Amino acid sequence: MAWKTLDDMDLKGKVVLIRVDINVPVENGRVTDATRIEKIVPTVADVVSRGGKPVLLAHLDRPKGKVVPEMSLRQVLPALKSALAGRRVLFADDCIGAPAKQAVAAMERGDVLLLENTRFHPGEEKNDPMMAASLAALGDIYVNDAFSAAHRAHASTEGIARLLPACAGRLMQAELKALEAALGKPVRPVVAVVGGAKVSTKLDLLGNLVGKVEHLVIGGGMANTFLVAQGLEVGRSLAERDMAETARGILAKARAAGCTIHLPADVVIAREFKAQAANEVVAATACPPDAMILDAGPQAVANIARVFETCRTLIWNGPLGAFELEPFDAATNAAARKAAELTAAGKLVSVAGGGDTVAALNKAGAASGFSYISTAGGAFLEWMEGKALPGVEALNQ
Ligand code: 3PG
Ligand code: MG
């Protein structure tokens, strides 16, 4: 890895600008899930213990270059204080200019400073050099700990990294290490599980994966599109019929690359899209015209378990069925638990991330059994697509 880490930096007496991703859900002014806040604690603690003064740069939501009070990071302050128990946490009403400079000057040893939402300035998302320079002027060293925002080439994630001595924070390091182990230089064979509703949103991802993994398990609504592509009827199931040709292209590419694609041999069908809807298991070749496929069936789950057993590395994105509606979470739960069991036995390295995935694995009670769960959504997907992430690239110099 070409980027530096905190171990390579002399932080003593330095103002250390740390880009974090604390883009957490906020309801009525309160943080409802502090996971992303807890994840930045090791980096902040490390900077303090090496005598540096941590100044946090972050965004919240998408204010689009304007000051939107409902998107103020001030709302995150109580949760940040409790995560950094015992530390004084200061706040500045602007991330650049006089308010920010004064707040930095007021910091005492051991203090942490959070600056207001970087996206309140239009220059942030434009990666405006002036904005990057204004941010850089506040400190001596730049640490990027926001892997989950690294797919954005913004002033606080990309531009600034070119203006100051820069390195990866502990969370960024952990993410990159886990992802490297899953797709960069994995122990083979590798199985990828890709689920979710639509093939159209995951085309690049599937195209990249078939060239990199030995087994690809396709689930969720996406699997229906592949069944249609093979000439099967899927009744009223969610499926993108206009993507059939594209799906056939992916199947052909996989064959050429020696990647085995696993589609469900049996499926769970229902007539209504709701929890506890009356349901039955049928062969994937026998979906009635008035039914919809809401989950993979027991044979499909058994096949997935067998594939997991033959593999050494698993990368997972997206649920296998309509996991938010019981009992159509069964396949996702069973496969997730199998992955956790093999991981615990030291037989599998398992990495998961992206959007609904973490929610689905948490619901299965299996998330803590995975080797690594990424907190990233869009960045995890772009990385799975094989794209370079600007925030990571900017550290590579
Ligand atoms: C995220 O929540 O995935 C990151 O914080 C990036 O947010 P964005 O999608 O608004 O750029
Ligand atoms: Mg988002």
Short mmCIF file of all heavy atoms in Angstrom, two decimals, residues 73-104:
data_model
loop_
_atom_site.label_atom_id
_atom_site.label_comp_id
_atom_site.label_asym_id
_atom_site.label_seq_id
_atom_site.Cartn_x
_atom_site.Cartn_y
_atom_site.Cartn_z
N LEU A 73 -24.10 20.08 11.93
CA LEU A 73 -23.39 19.03 12.68
C LEU A 73 -23.46 19.25 14.19
O LEU A 73 -23.08 18.38 14.96
CB LEU A 73 -21.93 18.94 12.22
CG LEU A 73 -21.69 18.09 10.97
CD1 LEU A 73 -20.26 18.27 10.46
CD2 LEU A 73 -21.94 16.61 11.27
N ARG A 74 -23.96 20.43 14.59
CA ARG A 74 -24.13 20.68 16.02
C ARG A 74 -25.01 19.59 16.66
O ARG A 74 -24.82 19.22 17.82
CB ARG A 74 -24.75 22.07 16.23
CG ARG A 74 -24.59 22.61 17.62
CD ARG A 74 -25.24 23.98 17.75
NE ARG A 74 -24.35 25.09 17.44
CZ ARG A 74 -23.39 25.54 18.26
NH1 ARG A 74 -23.15 24.96 19.42
NH2 ARG A 74 -22.65 26.56 17.90
N GLN A 75 -25.95 19.07 15.86
CA GLN A 75 -26.85 18.02 16.36
C GLN A 75 -26.12 16.73 16.72
O GLN A 75 -26.63 15.90 17.47
CB GLN A 75 -27.90 17.69 15.29
CG GLN A 75 -28.71 18.89 14.85
CD GLN A 75 -29.51 18.58 13.59
OE1 GLN A 75 -30.67 18.26 13.69
NE2 GLN A 75 -28.88 18.66 12.43
N VAL A 76 -24.93 16.57 16.14
CA VAL A 76 -24.18 15.34 16.33
C VAL A 76 -23.29 15.44 17.58
O VAL A 76 -22.79 14.45 18.09
CB VAL A 76 -23.34 15.08 15.04
CG1 VAL A 76 -22.31 14.01 15.23
CG2 VAL A 76 -24.26 14.76 13.88
N LEU A 77 -23.16 16.67 18.07
CA LEU A 77 -22.23 16.94 19.17
C LEU A 77 -22.46 16.07 20.41
O LEU A 77 -21.50 15.48 20.93
CB LEU A 77 -22.30 18.43 19.52
CG LEU A 77 -21.05 19.10 20.07
CD1 LEU A 77 -19.81 18.83 19.25
CD2 LEU A 77 -21.29 20.63 20.16
N PRO A 78 -23.70 15.94 20.91
CA PRO A 78 -23.90 15.11 22.10
C PRO A 78 -23.43 13.65 21.89
O PRO A 78 -22.78 13.06 22.76
CB PRO A 78 -25.41 15.16 22.34
CG PRO A 78 -25.86 16.43 21.67
CD PRO A 78 -24.96 16.61 20.49
N ALA A 79 -23.77 13.09 20.72
CA ALA A 79 -23.37 11.71 20.45
C ALA A 79 -21.84 11.60 20.33
O ALA A 79 -21.23 10.62 20.78
CB ALA A 79 -24.03 11.21 19.17
N LEU A 80 -21.22 12.63 19.75
CA LEU A 80 -19.76 12.63 19.62
C LEU A 80 -19.11 12.72 21.00
O LEU A 80 -18.14 12.01 21.29
CB LEU A 80 -19.33 13.80 18.73
CG LEU A 80 -17.84 13.93 18.44
CD1 LEU A 80 -17.30 12.69 17.70
CD2 LEU A 80 -17.55 15.18 17.62
N LYS A 81 -19.68 13.58 21.84
CA LYS A 81 -19.15 13.72 23.21
C LYS A 81 -19.25 12.40 23.95
O LYS A 81 -18.33 12.00 24.67
CB LYS A 81 -19.92 14.79 23.98
CG LYS A 81 -19.48 16.20 23.61
CD LYS A 81 -20.22 17.25 24.42
CE LYS A 81 -19.70 18.64 24.04
NZ LYS A 81 -20.66 19.70 24.38
N SER A 82 -20.36 11.71 23.80
CA SER A 82 -20.48 10.47 24.56
C SER A 82 -19.56 9.39 24.00
O SER A 82 -19.01 8.59 24.75
CB SER A 82 -21.95 10.05 24.71
OG SER A 82 -22.33 9.21 23.68
N ALA A 83 -19.32 9.40 22.68
CA ALA A 83 -18.38 8.43 22.10
C ALA A 83 -16.94 8.72 22.56
O ALA A 83 -16.15 7.81 22.76
CB ALA A 83 -18.45 8.45 20.58
N LEU A 84 -16.64 10.01 22.74
CA LEU A 84 -15.29 10.42 23.15
C LEU A 84 -15.27 10.70 24.66
O LEU A 84 -14.63 11.66 25.11
CB LEU A 84 -14.85 11.67 22.39
CG LEU A 84 -14.64 11.52 20.88
CD1 LEU A 84 -14.51 12.87 20.21
CD2 LEU A 84 -13.41 10.66 20.59
N ALA A 85 -15.96 9.88 25.39
CA ALA A 85 -16.20 10.10 26.81
C ALA A 85 -15.00 10.71 27.52
O ALA A 85 -13.87 10.23 27.40
CB ALA A 85 -16.55 8.77 27.47
N GLY A 86 -15.24 11.79 28.24
CA GLY A 86 -14.19 12.39 29.03
C GLY A 86 -13.46 13.52 28.34
O GLY A 86 -12.74 14.28 28.98
N ARG A 87 -13.63 13.64 27.03
CA ARG A 87 -12.92 14.72 26.34
C ARG A 87 -13.81 15.95 26.19
O ARG A 87 -15.02 15.84 26.02
CB ARG A 87 -12.50 14.30 24.93
CG ARG A 87 -11.57 13.17 24.93
CD ARG A 87 -10.65 13.14 23.74
NE ARG A 87 -9.77 12.03 23.94
CZ ARG A 87 -8.71 12.05 24.73
NH1 ARG A 87 -8.36 13.16 25.36
NH2 ARG A 87 -7.98 10.97 24.89
N ARG A 88 -13.14 17.11 26.16
CA ARG A 88 -13.88 18.32 25.85
C ARG A 88 -13.98 18.40 24.33
O ARG A 88 -12.98 18.26 23.63
CB ARG A 88 -13.13 19.54 26.39
CG ARG A 88 -13.97 20.80 26.39
CD ARG A 88 -13.36 21.85 27.31
NE ARG A 88 -12.18 22.45 26.70
CZ ARG A 88 -12.01 23.77 26.54
NH1 ARG A 88 -12.93 24.61 26.96
NH2 ARG A 88 -10.91 24.25 26.00
N VAL A 89 -15.21 18.55 23.83
CA VAL A 89 -15.39 18.65 22.39
C VAL A 89 -15.93 20.04 22.05
O VAL A 89 -17.00 20.43 22.50
CB VAL A 89 -16.36 17.56 21.86
CG1 VAL A 89 -16.44 17.62 20.33
CG2 VAL A 89 -15.92 16.17 22.31
N LEU A 90 -15.13 20.78 21.29
CA LEU A 90 -15.52 22.13 20.90
C LEU A 90 -16.20 22.10 19.54
O LEU A 90 -16.05 21.13 18.79
CB LEU A 90 -14.28 23.03 20.82
CG LEU A 90 -13.31 22.99 22.00
CD1 LEU A 90 -12.08 23.84 21.71
CD2 LEU A 90 -14.02 23.47 23.26
N PHE A 91 -16.95 23.17 19.25
CA PHE A 91 -17.64 23.23 17.96
C PHE A 91 -17.45 24.61 17.35
O PHE A 91 -17.48 25.61 18.07
CB PHE A 91 -19.13 22.95 18.16
CG PHE A 91 -19.91 22.89 16.86
CD1 PHE A 91 -19.86 21.75 16.06
CD2 PHE A 91 -20.66 23.97 16.44
CE1 PHE A 91 -20.56 21.70 14.85
CE2 PHE A 91 -21.36 23.93 15.23
CZ PHE A 91 -21.32 22.79 14.45
N ALA A 92 -17.23 24.68 16.05
CA ALA A 92 -17.17 25.98 15.36
C ALA A 92 -18.29 26.05 14.34
O ALA A 92 -18.56 25.07 13.63
CB ALA A 92 -15.82 26.14 14.67
N ASP A 93 -18.92 27.23 14.25
CA ASP A 93 -20.09 27.40 13.39
C ASP A 93 -19.79 27.44 11.90
O ASP A 93 -20.69 27.52 11.08
CB ASP A 93 -20.83 28.70 13.76
CG ASP A 93 -21.66 28.49 15.02
OD1 ASP A 93 -22.31 27.43 15.10
OD2 ASP A 93 -21.62 29.36 15.91
N ASP A 94 -18.52 27.46 11.56
CA ASP A 94 -18.15 27.42 10.15
C ASP A 94 -16.88 26.58 10.05
O ASP A 94 -16.08 26.56 10.99
CB ASP A 94 -17.89 28.85 9.63
CG ASP A 94 -17.93 28.92 8.10
OD1 ASP A 94 -17.89 27.85 7.45
OD2 ASP A 94 -17.99 30.04 7.57
N CYS A 95 -16.71 25.90 8.91
CA CYS A 95 -15.55 25.02 8.79
C CYS A 95 -14.33 25.75 8.22
O CYS A 95 -13.24 25.17 8.14
CB CYS A 95 -15.89 23.80 7.94
SG CYS A 95 -16.26 24.21 6.23
N ILE A 96 -14.52 26.99 7.77
CA ILE A 96 -13.37 27.79 7.30
C ILE A 96 -13.50 29.22 7.86
O ILE A 96 -14.51 29.56 8.49
CB ILE A 96 -13.29 27.85 5.75
CG1 ILE A 96 -14.63 28.33 5.16
CG2 ILE A 96 -12.90 26.50 5.17
CD1 ILE A 96 -14.60 28.55 3.65
N GLY A 97 -12.47 30.02 7.65
CA GLY A 97 -12.54 31.44 8.03
C GLY A 97 -12.35 31.66 9.53
O GLY A 97 -11.90 30.78 10.26
N ALA A 98 -12.74 32.88 9.96
CA ALA A 98 -12.47 33.32 11.33
C ALA A 98 -13.05 32.38 12.41
O ALA A 98 -12.34 32.04 13.36
CB ALA A 98 -12.96 34.75 11.53
N PRO A 99 -14.32 31.95 12.30
CA PRO A 99 -14.85 31.09 13.36
C PRO A 99 -14.02 29.81 13.55
O PRO A 99 -13.75 29.38 14.68
CB PRO A 99 -16.26 30.73 12.89
CG PRO A 99 -16.61 31.78 11.88
CD PRO A 99 -15.32 32.21 11.25
N ALA A 100 -13.61 29.23 12.44
CA ALA A 100 -12.82 28.00 12.51
C ALA A 100 -11.44 28.29 13.10
O ALA A 100 -10.96 27.56 13.97
CB ALA A 100 -12.70 27.38 11.12
N LYS A 101 -10.80 29.37 12.62
CA LYS A 101 -9.46 29.71 13.11
C LYS A 101 -9.46 30.00 14.60
O LYS A 101 -8.58 29.55 15.34
CB LYS A 101 -8.93 30.95 12.36
CG LYS A 101 -8.42 30.60 10.97
CD LYS A 101 -7.82 31.83 10.30
CE LYS A 101 -7.55 31.52 8.84
NZ LYS A 101 -7.59 32.70 7.99
N GLN A 102 -10.46 30.75 15.05
CA GLN A 102 -10.55 31.07 16.48
C GLN A 102 -10.74 29.81 17.32
O GLN A 102 -10.16 29.66 18.39
CB GLN A 102 -11.69 32.06 16.74
CG GLN A 102 -11.31 33.49 16.36
CD GLN A 102 -12.52 34.37 16.05
OE1 GLN A 102 -13.64 34.03 16.40
NE2 GLN A 102 -12.27 35.49 15.40
N ALA A 103 -11.57 28.90 16.82
CA ALA A 103 -11.83 27.66 17.57
C ALA A 103 -10.56 26.82 17.66
O ALA A 103 -10.26 26.24 18.71
CB ALA A 103 -12.97 26.88 16.92
N VAL A 104 -9.81 26.76 16.56
CA VAL A 104 -8.55 26.00 16.58
C VAL A 104 -7.60 26.62 17.61
O VAL A 104 -6.98 25.92 18.42
CB VAL A 104 -7.88 25.96 15.18
CG1 VAL A 104 -6.48 25.36 15.27
CG2 VAL A 104 -8.74 25.18 14.19
#
